[in-house]
Amino acid sequence: MTKKPVFPSENTETRPDVWQDLRSLTRARIGLGRSGNAQRTSDVLTFQAAHAQARDAVHTPLDVQAMLAQMNGMPCLCVRSRADDRPTYLRRPDLGRRLAPESLSFLQKGEWDVVFVAADGLSSVATQKGAIPLFRAMLPRLKDWRIAPLVIATQGRVALGDEIASALGARMVVMMIGERPGLSVADSMGVYLTYAPYVGCPDSARNCLSNIHPHGLPTSGAADKLAWLMKEAMRMQLTGVGLKDAAPDSISSDTLPESPLPAIVKDQHV
């Protein structure tokens, strides 16, 4: 009688899992097991759950009222793009890059060094979780800056921040926006920094910090890195390909570039 061959997948009780150490280093799906010629049910269900989370991140509306509550009375402005709804936003990226006329009409010019914009982007979940904590973390790192009220934007793309900053008269814009969700992370936020923004500004004129989420770049680390880049941008009067990220891995207040800006006007609001 011919002995049936034993395949590795059929001998899992005695065979060590050589993928376990690698799995601890990444959220990617590696070394998945199998049941015969098919994936294991647990892996299939996990994949379907991740896919549902990614779809929810894209389609769930940004809860603006909840974000306003997190601000605890701090000055804040709410705007929207020219995309009237989510389906239009997804089909027409160009409309997400420009402000709706009614939003543009109440943005008044001031003397601001920077404006922070929190936009839903392609993951409202990411913005909901990460934008306000990052904004709060930046305030003590930019003590001498004239910071405009936080702007919360719905149906927004990265370039929407350019028009917002131009309307407010801000020298720099920091766009905090939900990144396109994947099947490993659905709540990742990106930050785009632009000096002297204007409508039609190319992406080559921006600096980006990405993968800001609990399993990636933490809020404190992102705030340190962003503060370093912002002060360098103000010193060099540029962002984008001309501004290289030479920040040390461990940043303290002593290593941040000195800001050449005047003292903040704490009671100035739009």
Side-chain angles (χ1 to χ4, degrees):
M1 182 175 178
T2 303
K3 186 177 180 181
K4 181 182 177 181
V6 177
F7 296 98
S9 61
E10 298 175 346
N11 195 25
T12 55
E13 293 184 0
T14 59
R15 185 182 179 86
D17 186 351
V18 296
W19 291 95
Q20 187 56 44
D21 290 342
L22 290 176
R23 288 196 199 98
S24 66
L25 301 175
T26 178
R27 292 173 62 80
R29 290 171 174 79
I30 60 174
L32 298 181
R34 62 186 175 89
S35 178
N37 292 325
Q39 287 184 312
R40 295 180 301 187
T41 300
S42 59
D43 292 330
V44 173
L45 293 176
T46 301
F47 179 88
Q48 291 176 341
H51 185 260
Q53 289 175 339
R55 289 178 61 87
D56 287 347
V58 172
H59 293 286
T60 301
L62 185 67
D63 190 342
V64 176
Q65 293 304 316
M67 295 186 70
L68 292 174
Q70 292 181 57
M71 291 293 288
N72 292 327
M74 295 178 63
C76 190
L77 301 171
C78 298
V79 300
R80 69 176 184 88
S81 75
R82 295 183 182 179
D84 293 329
D85 50 42
R86 203 61 178 171
T88 303
Y89 169 82
L90 296 174
R91 291 193 304 265
R92 294 284 306 274
D94 57 313
L95 296 179
R97 300 185 182 110
R98 296 300 304 273
L99 278 169
E102 61 271 23
S103 292
L104 183 60
S105 64
F106 70 78
L107 294 180
Q108 302 175 11
K109 258 190 200 317
E111 294 294 329
W112 307 111
D113 296 316
V114 63
V115 57
F116 286 81
V117 180
D120 44 12
L122 290 173
S123 176
S124 62
V125 176
T127 305
Q128 197 83 50
K129 293 180 179 179
I132 302 300
L134 180 59
F135 176 71
R136 287 184 172 278
M138 293 305 299
L139 297 180
R141 290 168 169 82
L142 301 172
K143 293 179 180 179
D144 296 329
W145 290 54
R146 295 168 295 186
I147 303 174
L150 175 70
V151 177
I152 299 176
T154 54
Q155 317 298 3
R157 302 276 177 171
V158 172
L160 188 68
D162 300 336
E163 190 168 14
I164 293 171
S166 296
L168 290 174
R171 301 173 67 185
M172 189 182 301
V173 60
V174 174
M175 171 61 84
M176 304 175 289
I177 190 167
E179 296 180 319
R180 180 181 291 105
L183 295 174
S184 302
V185 178
D187 58 352
S188 179
M189 187 178 71
V191 173
Y192 292 82
L193 172 65
T194 310
Y195 181 85
Y198 59 91
V199 176
C201 185
D203 289 337
S204 59
R206 313 186 197 283
N207 289 89
C208 175
L209 296 176
S210 62
N211 291 303
I212 303 172
H213 58 87
H215 301 285
L217 181 62
T219 298
S220 59
D224 286 339
K225 182 79 72 173
L226 180 58
W228 192 94
L229 286 170
M230 290 176 66
K231 293 184 179 184
E232 277 293 277
M234 198 65 80
R235 180 181 68 84
M236 299 174 65
Q237 298 188 7
L238 58 82
T239 49
V241 296
L243 175 59
K244 305 302 181 183
D245 180 4
D249 292 335
S250 178
I251 304 175
S252 67
S253 59
D254 296 333
T255 60
L256 291 174
E258 290 296 327
S259 172
L261 302 174
I264 186 172
V265 182
K266 295 185 181 297
D267 59 348
Q268 184 175 3
H269 303 305
V270 170

